[in-house]
Coordinates of all heavy atoms in Angstrom, one line a residue:
M24 N -6.5 15.8 65.1 CA -7.5 14.9 65.6 C -7.2 14.6 67.1 O -6.0 14.4 67.4 CB -7.5 13.7 64.8 CG -8.2 13.8 63.4 SD -9.9 14.2 63.5 CE -10.6 12.6 63.9
S25 N -8.2 14.5 67.8 CA -8.0 14.2 69.2 C -8.4 12.7 69.5 O -9.2 12.2 68.8 CB -8.9 15.1 70.0 OG -9.2 14.5 71.3
D26 N -7.7 12.1 70.5 CA -8.0 10.8 70.8 C -9.2 10.7 71.8 O -9.7 9.6 72.0 CB -6.8 10.1 71.5 CG -5.7 9.8 70.5 OD1 -6.1 9.7 69.3 OD2 -4.6 9.7 70.9
L27 N -9.7 11.8 72.2 CA -10.8 11.8 73.2 C -12.1 11.4 72.5 O -12.3 11.8 71.3 CB -11.0 13.1 73.8 CG -9.9 13.6 74.8 CD1 -10.1 15.0 75.2 CD2 -9.9 12.7 76.0
P28 N -12.9 10.6 73.1 CA -14.2 10.3 72.5 C -15.1 11.5 72.4 O -14.8 12.5 73.1 CB -14.8 9.3 73.5 CG -14.1 9.5 74.8 CD -12.7 10.0 74.5
P29 N -16.0 11.5 71.5 CA -16.9 12.7 71.4 C -17.6 13.0 72.8 O -17.8 12.1 73.6 CB -17.9 12.3 70.4 CG -17.8 10.9 70.2 CD -16.4 10.5 70.6
P30 N -17.9 14.2 73.0 CA -18.5 14.6 74.4 C -19.6 13.8 74.8 O -19.8 13.5 76.0 CB -18.9 16.1 74.2 CG -18.1 16.5 73.0 CD -17.8 15.4 72.1
E31 N -20.5 13.4 73.9 CA -21.7 12.7 74.3 C -21.4 11.3 74.8 O -22.2 10.6 75.4 CB -22.8 12.6 73.2 CG -22.4 11.9 71.9 CD -21.7 12.8 70.9 OE1 -21.2 13.9 71.3 OE2 -21.7 12.5 69.7
L32 N -20.2 10.8 74.5 CA -19.8 9.4 75.0 C -19.1 9.5 76.4 O -18.9 8.5 77.0 CB -19.0 8.7 74.0 CG -19.7 8.3 72.7 CD1 -18.7 7.6 71.8 CD2 -20.9 7.5 73.0
R33 N -18.7 10.7 76.8 CA -18.0 10.8 78.0 C -19.0 11.0 79.2 O -19.8 11.8 79.1 CB -17.0 12.0 78.0 CG -15.7 11.6 77.4 CD -14.7 12.8 77.5 NE -14.6 13.4 76.2 CZ -14.5 14.7 76.0 NH1 -14.4 15.5 77.0 NH2 -14.4 15.1 74.7
V34 N -18.8 10.2 80.2 CA -19.7 10.3 81.3 C -19.0 11.3 82.3 O -17.9 11.0 82.8 CB -19.9 9.0 82.0 CG1 -20.8 9.1 83.2 CG2 -20.7 8.0 81.0
P35 N -19.6 12.4 82.7 CA -19.0 13.3 83.6 C -18.9 12.7 85.0 O -19.8 11.9 85.4 CB -19.9 14.5 83.6 CG -21.2 14.0 83.1 CD -21.0 12.8 82.3
P36 N -18.0 13.1 85.8 CA -18.0 12.7 87.2 C -19.2 13.2 87.9 O -19.8 14.2 87.4 CB -16.7 13.4 87.8 CG -16.0 14.0 86.7 CD -16.9 14.0 85.5
R37 N -19.7 12.4 88.9 CA -21.0 12.7 89.4 C -21.1 14.2 89.9 O -22.1 14.8 89.9 CB -21.3 11.7 90.6 CG -22.7 11.8 91.0 CD -23.3 10.5 91.4 NE -24.6 10.7 91.8 CZ -25.2 10.1 92.9 NH1 -24.5 9.3 93.6 NH2 -26.4 10.4 93.2
Q38 N -20.0 14.7 90.4 CA -20.1 16.1 91.0 C -20.3 17.1 89.9 O -20.6 18.3 90.2 CB -18.9 16.4 91.8 CG -17.6 16.5 91.1 CD -16.8 15.1 91.1 OE1 -17.5 14.1 91.3 NE2 -15.5 15.1 91.0
E39 N -20.2 16.8 88.7 CA -20.4 17.7 87.6 C -21.9 17.8 87.1 O -22.2 18.6 86.4 CB -19.5 17.4 86.4 CG -18.1 17.8 86.7 CD -17.2 17.7 85.4 OE1 -17.7 17.6 84.3 OE2 -16.0 17.6 85.6
V40 N -22.7 16.9 87.5 CA -24.1 16.9 87.2 C -24.9 17.4 88.4 O -24.5 17.1 89.5 CB -24.6 15.6 86.7 CG1 -23.9 15.2 85.4 CG2 -24.5 14.5 87.7
A41 N -26.0 18.0 88.1 CA -26.8 18.6 89.2 C -27.4 17.5 90.1 O -27.7 17.7 91.2 CB -27.9 19.5 88.6
G42 N -27.5 16.3 89.5 CA -28.1 15.2 90.1 C -28.7 14.3 89.1 O -28.6 14.6 87.9
L43 N -29.3 13.2 89.5 CA -29.9 12.3 88.6 C -31.4 12.6 88.6 O -32.0 13.1 89.6 CB -29.7 10.8 89.0 CG -28.2 10.4 89.1 CD1 -28.1 9.0 89.7 CD2 -27.6 10.4 87.7
M44 N -32.0 12.3 87.5 CA -33.5 12.6 87.4 C -34.2 11.6 86.5 O -33.6 11.0 85.6 CB -33.8 14.0 86.9 CG -33.3 14.3 85.5 SD -33.8 15.9 84.9 CE -32.5 17.0 85.6
M45 N -35.4 11.3 86.8 CA -36.2 10.5 85.9 C -37.6 11.0 86.0 O -38.1 11.7 86.9 CB -36.2 9.0 86.4 CG -36.8 8.8 87.8 SD -36.9 7.0 88.1 CE -37.2 7.0 89.9
R46 N -38.4 10.6 84.9 CA -39.8 10.9 84.9 C -40.6 9.8 85.6 O -40.3 8.6 85.4 CB -40.2 11.1 83.4 CG -41.6 11.8 83.3 CD -41.8 12.3 81.9 NE -43.1 12.9 81.8 CZ -43.7 13.2 80.7 NH1 -43.1 12.9 79.6 NH2 -44.9 13.7 80.7
W47 N -41.6 10.2 86.3 CA -42.5 9.3 87.0 C -43.9 9.7 86.7 O -44.5 10.6 87.3 CB -42.2 9.3 88.5 CG -42.8 8.2 89.3 CD1 -44.1 8.2 89.7 CD2 -42.2 7.0 89.7 NE1 -44.4 7.0 90.3 CE2 -43.2 6.2 90.4 CE3 -40.9 6.5 89.6 CZ2 -43.0 5.0 90.9 CZ3 -40.7 5.2 90.1 CH2 -41.7 4.5 90.8
V48 N -44.5 9.0 85.7 CA -45.8 9.4 85.2 C -46.9 9.0 86.1 O -47.9 9.7 86.3 CB -46.0 8.9 83.7 CG1 -47.4 9.2 83.2 CG2 -44.9 9.5 82.8
Q49 N -46.9 7.8 86.6 CA -48.0 7.3 87.4 C -48.0 7.9 88.8 O -47.0 8.5 89.2 CB -47.9 5.7 87.5 CG -46.7 5.2 88.3 CD -45.5 4.9 87.4 OE1 -45.2 5.7 86.5 NE2 -44.8 3.8 87.7
P50 N -49.1 7.8 89.5 CA -49.1 8.3 90.9 C -47.9 7.7 91.7 O -47.6 6.5 91.5 CB -50.4 7.9 91.4 CG -51.3 7.8 90.2 CD -50.4 7.3 89.1
L51 N -47.3 8.5 92.5 CA -46.2 8.0 93.3 C -46.6 7.7 94.8 O -47.1 8.6 95.5 CB -45.1 9.1 93.4 CG -43.8 8.7 94.2 CD1 -43.1 7.5 93.6 CD2 -42.9 9.9 94.1
V52 N -46.5 6.4 95.1 CA -47.0 6.0 96.4 C -45.8 5.8 97.3 O -44.9 5.0 97.0 CB -47.8 4.7 96.3 CG1 -48.3 4.2 97.7 CG2 -49.0 4.9 95.4
V53 N -45.8 6.5 98.5 CA -44.8 6.3 99.5 C -45.4 5.9 100.8 O -46.3 6.6 101.3 CB -44.0 7.6 99.7 CG1 -42.9 7.4 100.7 CG2 -43.4 8.1 98.4
D54 N -45.0 4.8 101.3 CA -45.6 4.3 102.6 C -47.1 4.2 102.5 O -47.9 4.6 103.4 CB -45.2 5.2 103.8 CG -43.8 5.1 104.1 OD1 -43.2 4.0 103.8 OD2 -43.2 6.1 104.6
G55 N -47.6 3.8 101.4 CA -49.1 3.6 101.2 C -49.9 4.9 100.9 O -51.1 4.8 100.8
E56 N -49.2 6.0 100.8 CA -49.9 7.3 100.5 C -49.4 7.8 99.2 O -48.2 7.8 98.9 CB -49.6 8.3 101.6 CG -50.3 8.0 102.9 CD -50.0 9.1 103.9 OE1 -49.7 10.2 103.5 OE2 -50.1 8.8 105.1
V57 N -50.4 8.3 98.4 CA -50.1 9.0 97.1 C -49.5 10.4 97.4 O -50.1 11.1 98.2 CB -51.3 9.1 96.2 CG1 -51.0 9.9 95.0 CG2 -51.9 7.7 95.9
R58 N -48.3 10.6 96.9 CA -47.7 12.0 97.1 C -48.5 13.0 96.3 O -48.7 12.8 95.1 CB -46.3 11.9 96.7 CG -45.4 11.3 97.7 CD -45.4 12.2 98.9 NE -44.7 11.6 100.1 CZ -45.4 11.0 101.1 NH1 -46.6 10.9 101.1 NH2 -44.7 10.5 102.1
V59 N -48.8 14.1 96.9 CA -49.5 15.2 96.3 C -48.7 16.5 96.4 O -48.1 16.8 97.5 CB -50.9 15.4 97.0 CG1 -51.6 16.6 96.4 CG2 -51.7 14.2 96.8
C60 N -48.6 17.3 95.4 CA -47.8 18.5 95.4 C -48.6 19.5 96.4 O -49.7 19.7 96.3 CB -47.8 19.2 94.1 SG -47.0 20.8 94.1
P61 N -47.9 20.0 97.4 CA -48.5 20.8 98.4 C -49.0 22.2 97.8 O -49.8 22.9 98.4 CB -47.4 21.0 99.5 CG -46.1 20.7 98.8 CD -46.4 19.7 97.7
E62 N -48.4 22.5 96.7 CA -48.8 23.8 96.1 C -49.9 23.8 95.1 O -50.8 24.7 95.1 CB -47.6 24.5 95.5 CG -46.5 24.7 96.5 CD -45.5 25.8 96.1 OE1 -46.0 26.8 95.7 OE2 -44.3 25.6 96.2
C63 N -50.0 22.7 94.3 CA -51.0 22.7 93.2 C -51.8 21.5 93.2 O -52.8 21.3 92.5 CB -50.4 23.0 91.9 SG -49.4 21.6 91.3
G64 N -51.5 20.5 94.1 CA -52.3 19.3 94.2 C -52.1 18.2 93.2 O -52.8 17.3 93.1
A65 N -51.1 18.4 92.4 CA -50.7 17.4 91.3 C -50.3 16.1 92.0 O -49.7 16.2 93.1 CB -49.6 17.9 90.4
Y66 N -50.7 15.0 91.5 CA -50.3 13.7 92.1 C -49.7 12.8 91.1 O -49.3 11.6 91.5 CB -51.5 13.1 92.8 CG -52.6 12.6 91.8 CD1 -52.6 11.4 91.3 CD2 -53.6 13.6 91.4 CE1 -53.6 11.0 90.4 CE2 -54.5 13.2 90.4 CZ -54.5 11.9 90.0 OH -55.5 11.5 89.0
R67 N -49.5 13.2 89.9 CA -48.8 12.3 88.9 C -48.0 13.2 88.0 O -48.0 14.4 88.0 CB -49.9 11.5 88.2 CG -50.9 12.3 87.5 CD -51.9 11.4 86.8 NE -51.3 10.6 85.7 CZ -51.1 11.1 84.5 NH1 -51.4 12.3 84.2 NH2 -50.5 10.3 83.6
D68 N -47.2 12.5 87.2 CA -46.3 13.1 86.2 C -45.3 13.9 86.9 O -45.1 15.1 86.7 CB -47.1 13.9 85.2 CG -46.3 14.1 83.9 OD1 -45.2 13.6 83.8 OD2 -46.8 14.8 83.0
W69 N -44.5 13.3 87.8 CA -43.4 13.9 88.5 C -42.1 13.8 87.7 O -41.9 12.9 86.9 CB -43.2 13.3 89.8 CG -44.4 13.2 90.7 CD1 -45.2 12.2 90.9 CD2 -44.8 14.3 91.6 NE1 -46.2 12.6 91.9 CE2 -45.9 13.8 92.3 CE3 -44.3 15.5 91.9 CZ2 -46.6 14.6 93.2 CZ3 -44.9 16.3 92.8 CH2 -46.1 15.9 93.5
I70 N -41.2 14.7 88.0 CA -39.8 14.5 87.8 C -39.2 14.1 89.2 O -39.4 14.9 90.1 CB -39.1 15.7 87.2 CG1 -39.7 16.0 85.8 CG2 -37.6 15.4 87.1 CD1 -39.4 15.0 84.7
V71 N -38.5 13.0 89.3 CA -37.9 12.6 90.5 C -36.4 12.9 90.4 O -35.8 12.4 89.5 CB -38.2 11.1 90.8 CG1 -37.5 10.7 92.1 CG2 -39.7 10.8 90.8
F72 N -35.9 13.7 91.3 CA -34.5 14.0 91.4 C -33.8 13.2 92.5 O -34.3 13.1 93.6 CB -34.3 15.5 91.7 CG -34.8 16.4 90.6 CD1 -36.0 17.1 90.8 CD2 -34.0 16.6 89.5 CE1 -36.4 18.0 89.8 CE2 -34.4 17.5 88.5 CZ -35.7 18.2 88.7
C73 N -32.7 12.7 92.2 CA -31.8 12.2 93.2 C -30.6 13.2 93.3 O -29.8 13.3 92.4 CB -31.3 10.8 92.8 SG -30.3 10.0 94.0
M74 N -30.6 13.9 94.4 CA -29.6 14.9 94.5 C -28.3 14.4 94.9 O -28.1 13.2 95.3 CB -30.1 15.9 95.6 CG -31.6 16.4 95.5 SD -31.9 17.0 93.8 CE -31.3 18.7 94.1
R75 N -27.3 15.3 94.9 CA -25.9 14.9 95.2 C -25.8 14.3 96.6 O -24.8 13.5 96.8 CB -25.0 16.1 95.0 CG -24.5 16.2 93.6 CD -23.5 17.3 93.6 NE -23.7 18.2 92.4 CZ -23.2 19.4 92.3 NH1 -22.5 19.9 93.3 NH2 -23.5 20.1 91.3
D76 N -26.6 14.8 97.5 CA -26.4 14.3 98.9 C -27.3 13.1 99.1 O -27.6 12.7 100.2 CB -26.8 15.4 99.9 CG -28.2 15.9 99.8 OD1 -28.9 15.4 98.9 OD2 -28.6 16.7 100.5
D77 N -27.8 12.5 98.0 CA -28.6 11.3 98.0 C -30.0 11.5 98.5 O -30.7 10.5 98.8 CB -27.9 10.1 98.8 CG -26.8 9.5 98.0 OD1 -26.6 9.8 96.8 OD2 -26.0 8.8 98.7
S78 N -30.4 12.7 98.7 CA -31.8 12.9 99.0 C -32.7 13.0 97.7 O -32.1 13.1 96.6 CB -32.0 14.3 99.8 OG -31.6 15.4 98.9
I79 N -34.0 12.9 97.9 CA -34.9 12.8 96.8 C -35.8 14.0 96.7 O -36.3 14.5 97.8 CB -35.8 11.5 96.9 CG1 -34.9 10.3 96.8 CG2 -36.8 11.5 95.8 CD1 -34.2 10.0 95.5
C80 N -35.9 14.6 95.6 CA -36.8 15.7 95.4 C -37.8 15.4 94.3 O -37.5 14.7 93.3 CB -36.0 17.0 94.9 SG -35.8 18.2 96.2
L81 N -39.1 15.9 94.5 CA -40.1 15.7 93.5 C -40.4 17.1 92.9 O -40.5 18.0 93.6 CB -41.4 15.1 94.1 CG -41.2 13.8 94.9 CD1 -42.5 13.4 95.6 CD2 -40.7 12.7 94.0
R82 N -40.6 17.0 91.6 CA -41.0 18.3 90.9 C -42.3 18.0 90.0 O -42.3 17.1 89.2 CB -39.9 18.7 90.0 CG -40.1 20.0 89.2 CD -39.0 20.2 88.2 NE -39.3 21.2 87.3 CZ -38.7 22.4 87.3 NH1 -37.8 22.7 88.2 NH2 -39.0 23.3 86.4
C83 N -43.3 18.7 90.3 CA -44.6 18.5 89.6 C -44.5 19.2 88.2 O -43.6 19.9 87.9 CB -45.8 19.0 90.4 SG -45.9 20.8 90.4
R84 N -45.6 19.0 87.4 CA -45.6 19.6 86.1 C -45.5 21.1 86.2 O -45.0 21.8 85.2 CB -47.0 19.3 85.4 CG -47.1 18.1 84.5 CD -46.0 17.8 83.6 NE -45.9 18.6 82.4 CZ -45.7 18.1 81.2 NH1 -45.7 16.8 81.0 NH2 -45.6 18.8 80.1
A85 N -46.0 21.7 87.2 CA -46.0 23.2 87.3 C -44.6 23.7 87.8 O -44.4 24.9 88.0 CB -47.1 23.7 88.3
G86 N -43.7 22.8 88.1 CA -42.3 23.2 88.5 C -42.1 23.4 90.0 O -41.1 24.0 90.4
H87 N -43.1 23.0 90.8 CA -42.9 23.1 92.3 C -42.0 21.9 92.7 O -42.2 20.8 92.3 CB -44.3 23.0 93.0 CG -45.3 24.0 92.5 ND1 -46.5 23.6 92.2 CD2 -45.2 25.3 92.4 CE1 -47.2 24.7 91.8 NE2 -46.4 25.7 91.9
E88 N -41.1 22.2 93.6 CA -40.2 21.2 94.0 C -40.4 20.9 95.5 O -40.5 21.8 96.3 CB -38.7 21.6 93.8 CG -38.4 21.5 92.3 CD -37.0 21.8 92.0 OE1 -36.1 21.8 92.9 OE2 -36.7 22.2 90.8
T89 N -40.5 19.6 95.9 CA -40.8 19.2 97.2 C -39.7 18.2 97.6 O -39.6 17.2 96.9 CB -42.2 18.6 97.3 OG1 -43.1 19.4 96.7 CG2 -42.6 18.4 98.8
K90 N -39.1 18.3 98.7 CA -38.2 17.3 99.2 C -39.1 16.1 99.7 O -40.1 16.3 100.4 CB -37.4 17.9 100.4 CG -36.2 17.0 100.7 CD -35.0 17.8 101.1 CE -33.9 16.9 101.5 NZ -32.6 17.6 101.5
E91 N -38.6 14.9 99.3 CA -39.4 13.7 99.7 C -38.5 12.9 100.7 O -37.6 12.1 100.2 CB -39.7 12.9 98.5 CG -40.4 11.6 98.8 CD -41.6 11.8 99.7 OE1 -42.6 12.4 99.3 OE2 -41.5 11.4 100.9
S92 N -38.8 13.1 102.0 CA -37.9 12.4 102.9 C -38.2 10.9 103.1 O -37.5 10.1 103.7 CB -38.0 13.1 104.3 OG -39.4 13.1 104.7
G93 N -39.3 10.5 102.5 CA -39.7 9.0 102.6 C -39.0 8.2 101.6 O -39.1 7.0 101.6
L94 N -38.2 8.8 100.7 CA -37.5 8.1 99.7 C -36.0 8.4 99.8 O -35.6 9.5 100.3 CB -38.0 8.4 98.3 CG -39.5 8.1 98.0 CD1 -39.9 8.7 96.7 CD2 -39.8 6.7 98.1
D95 N -35.2 7.5 99.2 CA -33.7 7.8 99.3 C -33.1 7.3 98.0 O -33.7 6.8 97.1 CB -33.1 7.2 100.5 CG -33.3 5.7 100.6 OD1 -33.6 5.1 99.6 OD2 -33.1 5.1 101.7
A96 N -31.8 7.4 97.9 CA -31.0 7.1 96.7 C -31.2 5.6 96.4 O -31.2 5.2 95.3 CB -29.6 7.4 96.9
A97 N -31.3 4.7 97.4 CA -31.4 3.3 97.2 C -32.8 3.0 96.5 O -32.8 2.2 95.5 CB -31.4 2.5 98.5
W98 N -33.8 3.7 96.9 CA -35.1 3.6 96.2 C -35.0 4.1 94.8 O -35.5 3.4 93.9 CB -36.1 4.5 97.0 CG -37.5 4.5 96.2 CD1 -38.5 3.6 96.4 CD2 -37.9 5.4 95.2 NE1 -39.5 4.0 95.5 CE2 -39.1 5.1 94.8 CE3 -37.2 6.5 94.6 CZ2 -39.8 5.8 93.8 CZ3 -37.9 7.2 93.6 CH2 -39.2 6.9 93.2
Y99 N -34.3 5.2 94.6 CA -34.1 5.7 93.2 C -33.4 4.7 92.3 O -33.9 4.4 91.2 CB -33.3 7.0 93.3 CG -33.2 7.7 91.9 CD1 -34.1 8.7 91.6 CD2 -32.3 7.3 91.0 CE1 -34.0 9.3 90.3 CE2 -32.2 7.9 89.8 CZ -33.1 8.9 89.4 OH -33.0 9.5 88.2
N100 N -32.4 4.1 92.9 CA -31.6 3.2 92.1 C -32.4 1.9 91.7 O -32.3 1.4 90.7 CB -30.3 2.8 92.8 CG -29.3 4.0 92.8 OD1 -29.3 4.8 92.0 ND2 -28.5 4.0 93.9
R101 N -33.3 1.5 92.7 CA -34.1 0.4 92.4 C -35.1 0.7 91.3 O -35.5 -0.2 90.6 CB -34.8 -0.1 93.7 CG -34.1 -1.0 94.6 CD -35.0 -1.7 95.5 NE -35.9 -0.9 96.2 CZ -35.6 -0.1 97.3 NH1 -34.4 -0.2 97.8 NH2 -36.5 0.6 97.9
N102 N -35.6 1.9 91.3 CA -36.7 2.2 90.4 C -36.4 2.9 89.1 O -37.2 3.0 88.2 CB -37.7 3.1 91.2 CG -38.5 2.3 92.2 OD1 -39.5 1.6 91.9 ND2 -38.0 2.3 93.4
S103 N -35.2 3.4 89.0 CA -34.8 4.0 87.7 C -34.2 3.0 86.9 O -33.6 2.0 87.4 CB -33.8 5.2 88.0 OG -32.6 4.7 88.5
G104 N -34.3 3.1 85.6 CA -33.6 2.2 84.7 C -32.1 2.6 84.7 O -31.7 3.4 85.4
P105 N -31.3 1.9 83.9 CA -29.9 2.3 83.7 C -29.9 3.7 83.2 O -30.7 4.1 82.5 CB -29.4 1.3 82.7 CG -30.6 0.5 82.2 CD -31.8 0.8 83.0
V106 N -28.9 4.4 83.7 CA -28.7 5.8 83.3 C -28.3 5.9 81.9 O -27.3 5.4 81.5 CB -27.7 6.5 84.2 CG1 -27.4 8.0 83.7 CG2 -28.1 6.5 85.6
D107 N -29.2 6.5 81.1 CA -28.9 6.5 79.6 C -28.3 7.8 79.2 O -27.7 7.9 78.1 CB -30.2 6.3 78.8 CG -31.2 7.4 79.0 OD1 -31.2 8.1 80.1 OD2 -32.0 7.6 78.1
R108 N -28.3 8.8 80.1 CA -27.9 10.1 79.6 C -27.7 11.0 80.8 O -28.4 11.0 81.8 CB -29.0 10.7 78.8 CG -28.7 12.0 78.1 CD -29.9 12.5 77.4 NE -30.2 11.8 76.2 CZ -30.1 12.3 75.0 NH1 -29.8 13.6 74.9 NH2 -30.4 11.6 73.9
F109 N -26.6 11.8 80.7 CA -26.4 12.8 81.8 C -26.7 14.2 81.2 O -26.5 14.4 80.0 CB -24.9 12.8 82.2 CG -24.6 11.6 83.1 CD1 -24.3 10.4 82.5 CD2 -24.7 11.7 84.4 CE1 -24.0 9.3 83.3 CE2 -24.5 10.6 85.3 CZ -24.1 9.4 84.7
H110 N -27.2 15.1 82.0 CA -27.5 16.4 81.5 C -26.7 17.4 82.3 O -26.7 17.5 83.5 CB -29.0 16.6 81.8 CG -29.9 15.6 81.3 ND1 -30.1 15.4 79.9 CD2 -30.5 14.5 81.9 CE1 -30.9 14.4 79.7 NE2 -31.1 13.8 80.9
P111 N -26.0 18.2 81.5 CA -25.1 19.2 82.2 C -26.0 20.3 82.9 O -25.5 20.8 83.9 CB -24.4 19.9 81.0 CG -25.1 19.5 79.8 CD -25.9 18.2 80.0
T112 N -27.2 20.5 82.5 CA -28.0 21.5 83.2 C -29.4 20.9 83.5 O -29.8 20.0 82.8 CB -28.2 22.8 82.4 OG1 -29.0 22.5 81.3 CG2 -26.9 23.4 82.0
L113 N -30.0 21.4 84.5 CA -31.4 21.0 84.9 C -32.3 21.2 83.7 O -33.1 20.4 83.4 CB -31.8 21.9 86.1 CG -33.3 21.7 86.5 CD1 -33.5 20.3 87.0 CD2 -33.6 22.7 87.6
E114 N -32.2 22.4 83.0 CA -33.1 22.7 81.9 C -33.0 21.6 80.8 O -34.0 21.2 80.3 CB -32.8 24.1 81.3 CG -33.1 25.2 82.2 CD -32.3 25.3 83.5 OE1 -31.1 24.9 83.4 OE2 -32.8 25.8 84.5
E115 N -31.8 21.2 80.5 CA -31.6 20.2 79.4 C -32.2 18.9 79.9 O -32.8 18.2 79.1 CB -30.1 20.0 79.1 CG -29.7 20.8 78.0 CD -28.2 20.5 77.6 OE1 -27.9 19.3 77.4 OE2 -27.4 21.4 77.6
G116 N -32.1 18.5 81.1 CA -32.6 17.3 81.6 C -34.1 17.3 81.6 O -34.8 16.3 81.1
L117 N -34.7 18.4 81.9 CA -36.2 18.5 81.9 C -36.7 18.5 80.5 O -37.7 17.8 80.2 CB -36.6 19.8 82.6 CG -36.4 19.9 84.1 CD1 -36.7 21.3 84.6 CD2 -37.3 18.9 84.8
R118 N -36.0 19.1 79.6 CA -36.4 19.0 78.2 C -36.4 17.6 77.7 O -37.3 17.1 77.0 CB -35.5 19.9 77.4 CG -36.3 20.7 76.3 CD -35.5 21.8 75.6 NE -34.1 21.8 75.7 CZ -33.4 22.7 76.2 NH1 -34.0 23.7 76.8 NH2 -32.1 22.7 76.3
H119 N -35.3 16.9 78.0 CA -35.2 15.5 77.6 C -36.3 14.7 78.1 O -36.8 13.8 77.5 CB -33.8 15.0 78.1 CG -33.7 13.5 77.8 ND1 -33.6 13.0 76.6 CD2 -33.5 12.4 78.7 CE1 -33.5 11.6 76.7 NE2 -33.4 11.3 77.9
L120 N -36.8 15.0 79.3 CA -37.8 14.2 80.0 C -39.2 14.7 79.6 O -40.2 14.2 80.1 CB -37.7 14.2 81.5 CG -36.4 13.5 82.0 CD1 -36.2 13.7 83.4 CD2 -36.5 12.0 81.7
G121 N -39.3 15.7 78.8 CA -40.6 16.2 78.3 C -41.3 17.2 79.2 O -42.5 17.5 79.0
H122 N -40.6 17.8 80.1 CA -41.2 18.8 81.0 C -40.7 20.2 80.5 O -39.8 20.3 79.7 CB -40.7 18.6 82.4 CG -41.7 17.8 83.2 ND1 -42.2 18.1 84.4 CD2 -42.3 16.6 82.9 CE1 -43.0 17.1 84.8 NE2 -43.1 16.2 83.9
Ligands
ZN25 ZN1 -47.2 21.7 92.0

């Protein structure tokens, strides 16, 4: 028997996760403007990523990713709930969030 807690209770160091992510279902307004995907025109149901370098990326339902320079990690932390789960891969995270 090992004294280590089960893997799901261990929080990996931040450098081991691709970044933080959350689902953002409502339209996302930055500086008074609704953000729209430049490729497909989607304006709601984003996945918002907080990358390792504290930049923010938006991903629409169709999987297009756009860097969002109007937002930063401080915004993310204010708007995301407490981190309930870390995802070792992007795919697992997206599945968890319903994308
Ligand atoms: Zn798109």
